[in-house]
PDB file of all heavy atoms in Angstrom:
ATOM      1  N   VAL A 444     -13.607   4.710 -13.322  1.00  0.00           N
ATOM      2  CA  VAL A 444     -12.602   3.683 -13.582  1.00  0.00           C
ATOM      3  C   VAL A 444     -13.161   2.338 -13.169  1.00  0.00           C
ATOM      4  O   VAL A 444     -13.751   2.197 -12.093  1.00  0.00           O
ATOM      5  CB  VAL A 444     -11.331   3.940 -12.754  1.00  0.00           C
ATOM      6  CG1 VAL A 444     -10.280   2.907 -13.047  1.00  0.00           C
ATOM      7  CG2 VAL A 444     -10.730   5.350 -13.101  1.00  0.00           C
ATOM      8  N   LYS A 445     -12.969   1.352 -14.061  1.00  0.00           N
ATOM      9  CA  LYS A 445     -13.441   0.011 -13.707  1.00  0.00           C
ATOM     10  C   LYS A 445     -12.251  -0.854 -13.384  1.00  0.00           C
ATOM     11  O   LYS A 445     -11.176  -0.786 -14.038  1.00  0.00           O
ATOM     12  CB  LYS A 445     -14.224  -0.621 -14.907  1.00  0.00           C
ATOM     13  CG  LYS A 445     -15.471   0.168 -15.236  1.00  0.00           C
ATOM     14  CD  LYS A 445     -16.389  -0.651 -16.163  1.00  0.00           C
ATOM     15  CE  LYS A 445     -17.651   0.211 -16.464  1.00  0.00           C
ATOM     16  NZ  LYS A 445     -18.402   0.503 -15.236  1.00  0.00           N
ATOM     17  N   GLY A 446     -12.427  -1.670 -12.334  1.00  0.00           N
ATOM     18  CA  GLY A 446     -11.349  -2.528 -11.851  1.00  0.00           C
ATOM     19  C   GLY A 446     -11.726  -3.986 -11.981  1.00  0.00           C
ATOM     20  O   GLY A 446     -12.721  -4.404 -12.650  1.00  0.00           O
ATOM     21  N   ILE A 447     -11.007  -4.756 -11.195  1.00  0.00           N
ATOM     22  CA  ILE A 447     -11.303  -6.194 -11.155  1.00  0.00           C
ATOM     23  C   ILE A 447     -12.457  -6.517 -10.225  1.00  0.00           C
ATOM     24  O   ILE A 447     -12.887  -5.691  -9.434  1.00  0.00           O
ATOM     25  CB  ILE A 447     -10.078  -7.023 -10.712  1.00  0.00           C
ATOM     26  CG1 ILE A 447      -9.696  -6.603  -9.263  1.00  0.00           C
ATOM     27  CG2 ILE A 447      -8.894  -6.769 -11.639  1.00  0.00           C
ATOM     28  CD1 ILE A 447      -8.591  -7.449  -8.678  1.00  0.00           C
ATOM     29  N   LYS A 448     -13.066  -7.707 -10.457  1.00  0.00           N
ATOM     30  CA  LYS A 448     -14.118  -8.244  -9.602  1.00  0.00           C
ATOM     31  C   LYS A 448     -15.320  -7.362  -9.520  1.00  0.00           C
ATOM     32  O   LYS A 448     -16.015  -7.358  -8.471  1.00  0.00           O
ATOM     33  CB  LYS A 448     -13.573  -8.519  -8.233  1.00  0.00           C
ATOM     34  CG  LYS A 448     -12.338  -9.474  -8.255  1.00  0.00           C
ATOM     35  CD  LYS A 448     -11.904  -9.892  -6.871  1.00  0.00           C
ATOM     36  CE  LYS A 448     -10.673 -10.806  -6.988  1.00  0.00           C
ATOM     37  NZ  LYS A 448     -10.269 -11.386  -5.742  1.00  0.00           N
ATOM     38  N   GLY A 449     -15.617  -6.557 -10.563  1.00  0.00           N
ATOM     39  CA  GLY A 449     -16.814  -5.761 -10.612  1.00  0.00           C
ATOM     40  C   GLY A 449     -16.753  -4.442  -9.874  1.00  0.00           C
ATOM     41  O   GLY A 449     -17.774  -3.748  -9.756  1.00  0.00           O
ATOM     42  N   PHE A 450     -15.621  -4.053  -9.353  1.00  0.00           N
ATOM     43  CA  PHE A 450     -15.464  -2.822  -8.650  1.00  0.00           C
ATOM     44  C   PHE A 450     -15.234  -1.666  -9.611  1.00  0.00           C
ATOM     45  O   PHE A 450     -14.701  -1.872 -10.676  1.00  0.00           O
ATOM     46  CB  PHE A 450     -14.256  -2.864  -7.671  1.00  0.00           C
ATOM     47  CG  PHE A 450     -14.560  -3.665  -6.466  1.00  0.00           C
ATOM     48  CD1 PHE A 450     -14.262  -5.045  -6.384  1.00  0.00           C
ATOM     49  CD2 PHE A 450     -15.048  -3.062  -5.298  1.00  0.00           C
ATOM     50  CE1 PHE A 450     -14.452  -5.819  -5.273  1.00  0.00           C
ATOM     51  CE2 PHE A 450     -15.297  -3.819  -4.210  1.00  0.00           C
ATOM     52  CZ  PHE A 450     -15.007  -5.190  -4.167  1.00  0.00           C
ATOM     53  N   GLU A 451     -15.633  -0.472  -9.228  1.00  0.00           N
ATOM     54  CA  GLU A 451     -15.412   0.689  -9.990  1.00  0.00           C
ATOM     55  C   GLU A 451     -15.200   1.854  -8.995  1.00  0.00           C
ATOM     56  O   GLU A 451     -15.577   1.774  -7.876  1.00  0.00           O
ATOM     57  CB  GLU A 451     -16.587   1.055 -10.954  1.00  0.00           C
ATOM     58  CG  GLU A 451     -17.877   1.326 -10.316  1.00  0.00           C
ATOM     59  CD  GLU A 451     -18.985   1.673 -11.321  1.00  0.00           C
ATOM     60  OE1 GLU A 451     -18.928   1.143 -12.451  1.00  0.00           O
ATOM     61  OE2 GLU A 451     -19.839   2.461 -10.977  1.00  0.00           O
ATOM     62  N   ALA A 452     -14.631   2.925  -9.528  1.00  0.00           N
ATOM     63  CA  ALA A 452     -14.467   4.146  -8.698  1.00  0.00           C
ATOM     64  C   ALA A 452     -14.569   5.315  -9.529  1.00  0.00           C
ATOM     65  O   ALA A 452     -14.305   5.329 -10.724  1.00  0.00           O
ATOM     66  CB  ALA A 452     -13.072   4.093  -8.003  1.00  0.00           C
ATOM     67  N   GLU A 453     -15.023   6.425  -8.944  1.00  0.00           N
ATOM     68  CA  GLU A 453     -15.298   7.671  -9.653  1.00  0.00           C
ATOM     69  C   GLU A 453     -14.367   8.736  -9.028  1.00  0.00           C
ATOM     70  O   GLU A 453     -14.456   9.069  -7.819  1.00  0.00           O
ATOM     71  CB  GLU A 453     -16.687   8.118  -9.632  1.00  0.00           C
ATOM     72  CG  GLU A 453     -16.972   9.311 -10.495  1.00  0.00           C
ATOM     73  CD  GLU A 453     -18.436   9.692 -10.544  1.00  0.00           C
ATOM     74  OE1 GLU A 453     -19.226   9.154  -9.727  1.00  0.00           O
ATOM     75  OE2 GLU A 453     -18.759  10.563 -11.402  1.00  0.00           O
ATOM     76  N   PHE A 454     -13.595   9.378  -9.866  1.00  0.00           N
ATOM     77  CA  PHE A 454     -12.725  10.476  -9.524  1.00  0.00           C
ATOM     78  C   PHE A 454     -13.571  11.786  -9.696  1.00  0.00           C
ATOM     79  O   PHE A 454     -13.990  12.067 -10.792  1.00  0.00           O
ATOM     80  CB  PHE A 454     -11.517  10.515 -10.350  1.00  0.00           C
ATOM     81  CG  PHE A 454     -10.618  11.756 -10.210  1.00  0.00           C
ATOM     82  CD1 PHE A 454     -10.234  12.188  -8.926  1.00  0.00           C
ATOM     83  CD2 PHE A 454     -10.209  12.460 -11.320  1.00  0.00           C
ATOM     84  CE1 PHE A 454      -9.423  13.274  -8.779  1.00  0.00           C
ATOM     85  CE2 PHE A 454      -9.405  13.584 -11.124  1.00  0.00           C
ATOM     86  CZ  PHE A 454      -9.042  14.020  -9.905  1.00  0.00           C
ATOM     87  N   ILE A 455     -13.749  12.550  -8.573  1.00  0.00           N
ATOM     88  CA  ILE A 455     -14.438  13.797  -8.688  1.00  0.00           C
ATOM     89  C   ILE A 455     -13.420  14.868  -8.234  1.00  0.00           C
ATOM     90  O   ILE A 455     -13.193  15.013  -7.008  1.00  0.00           O
ATOM     91  CB  ILE A 455     -15.698  13.866  -7.902  1.00  0.00           C
ATOM     92  CG1 ILE A 455     -16.708  12.769  -8.318  1.00  0.00           C
ATOM     93  CG2 ILE A 455     -16.399  15.239  -8.027  1.00  0.00           C
ATOM     94  CD1 ILE A 455     -17.985  12.689  -7.529  1.00  0.00           C
ATOM     95  N   LYS A 456     -12.837  15.510  -9.189  1.00  0.00           N
ATOM     96  CA  LYS A 456     -11.745  16.450  -8.851  1.00  0.00           C
ATOM     97  C   LYS A 456     -12.200  17.581  -7.968  1.00  0.00           C
ATOM     98  O   LYS A 456     -11.452  17.972  -7.068  1.00  0.00           O
ATOM     99  CB  LYS A 456     -11.119  17.012 -10.144  1.00  0.00           C
ATOM    100  CG  LYS A 456      -9.846  17.814  -9.950  1.00  0.00           C
ATOM    101  CD  LYS A 456      -9.267  18.190 -11.299  1.00  0.00           C
ATOM    102  CE  LYS A 456      -7.996  18.988 -11.105  1.00  0.00           C
ATOM    103  NZ  LYS A 456      -7.397  19.407 -12.368  1.00  0.00           N
ATOM    104  N   SER A 457     -13.329  18.111  -8.205  1.00  0.00           N
ATOM    105  CA  SER A 457     -13.871  19.253  -7.408  1.00  0.00           C
ATOM    106  C   SER A 457     -14.061  18.876  -5.963  1.00  0.00           C
ATOM    107  O   SER A 457     -14.056  19.771  -5.069  1.00  0.00           O
ATOM    108  CB  SER A 457     -15.103  19.798  -8.041  1.00  0.00           C
ATOM    109  OG  SER A 457     -16.142  18.793  -8.019  1.00  0.00           O
ATOM    110  N   LYS A 458     -14.289  17.624  -5.688  1.00  0.00           N
ATOM    111  CA  LYS A 458     -14.589  17.162  -4.299  1.00  0.00           C
ATOM    112  C   LYS A 458     -13.294  16.469  -3.773  1.00  0.00           C
ATOM    113  O   LYS A 458     -13.387  15.897  -2.643  1.00  0.00           O
ATOM    114  CB  LYS A 458     -15.716  16.234  -4.307  1.00  0.00           C
ATOM    115  CG  LYS A 458     -17.035  16.875  -4.639  1.00  0.00           C
ATOM    116  CD  LYS A 458     -18.222  15.908  -4.487  1.00  0.00           C
ATOM    117  CE  LYS A 458     -19.527  16.598  -4.786  1.00  0.00           C
ATOM    118  NZ  LYS A 458     -20.697  15.706  -4.668  1.00  0.00           N
ATOM    119  N   PHE A 459     -12.225  16.342  -4.497  1.00  0.00           N
ATOM    120  CA  PHE A 459     -11.029  15.638  -4.049  1.00  0.00           C
ATOM    121  C   PHE A 459     -11.408  14.233  -3.583  1.00  0.00           C
ATOM    122  O   PHE A 459     -10.978  13.756  -2.496  1.00  0.00           O
ATOM    123  CB  PHE A 459     -10.293  16.361  -2.918  1.00  0.00           C
ATOM    124  CG  PHE A 459      -9.804  17.743  -3.361  1.00  0.00           C
ATOM    125  CD1 PHE A 459     -10.621  18.864  -3.248  1.00  0.00           C
ATOM    126  CD2 PHE A 459      -8.504  17.851  -3.864  1.00  0.00           C
ATOM    127  CE1 PHE A 459     -10.131  20.095  -3.672  1.00  0.00           C
ATOM    128  CE2 PHE A 459      -8.057  19.070  -4.310  1.00  0.00           C
ATOM    129  CZ  PHE A 459      -8.862  20.180  -4.203  1.00  0.00           C
ATOM    130  N   SER A 460     -12.322  13.545  -4.324  1.00  0.00           N
ATOM    131  CA  SER A 460     -12.769  12.275  -3.865  1.00  0.00           C
ATOM    132  C   SER A 460     -12.531  11.180  -4.894  1.00  0.00           C
ATOM    133  O   SER A 460     -12.420  11.477  -6.106  1.00  0.00           O
ATOM    134  CB  SER A 460     -14.285  12.286  -3.564  1.00  0.00           C
ATOM    135  OG  SER A 460     -15.089  12.482  -4.787  1.00  0.00           O
ATOM    136  N   PHE A 461     -12.460   9.967  -4.421  1.00  0.00           N
ATOM    137  CA  PHE A 461     -12.284   8.799  -5.290  1.00  0.00           C
ATOM    138  C   PHE A 461     -12.943   7.652  -4.620  1.00  0.00           C
ATOM    139  O   PHE A 461     -12.310   6.740  -4.086  1.00  0.00           O
ATOM    140  CB  PHE A 461     -10.745   8.519  -5.440  1.00  0.00           C
ATOM    141  CG  PHE A 461     -10.412   7.518  -6.479  1.00  0.00           C
ATOM    142  CD1 PHE A 461     -10.861   7.615  -7.816  1.00  0.00           C
ATOM    143  CD2 PHE A 461      -9.608   6.438  -6.194  1.00  0.00           C
ATOM    144  CE1 PHE A 461     -10.532   6.678  -8.791  1.00  0.00           C
ATOM    145  CE2 PHE A 461      -9.268   5.493  -7.166  1.00  0.00           C
ATOM    146  CZ  PHE A 461      -9.725   5.622  -8.490  1.00  0.00           C
TER     147      PHE A 461
END
Side-chain angles (χ1 to χ4, degrees):
Chain A
V444 179
K445 294 193 183 300
I447 61 171
K448 304 186 180 186
F450 286 90
E451 64 179 31
E453 184 175 14
F454 171 52
I455 302 179
K456 189 175 181 179
S457 61
K458 295 184 178 181
F459 297 89
S460 70
F461 190 55

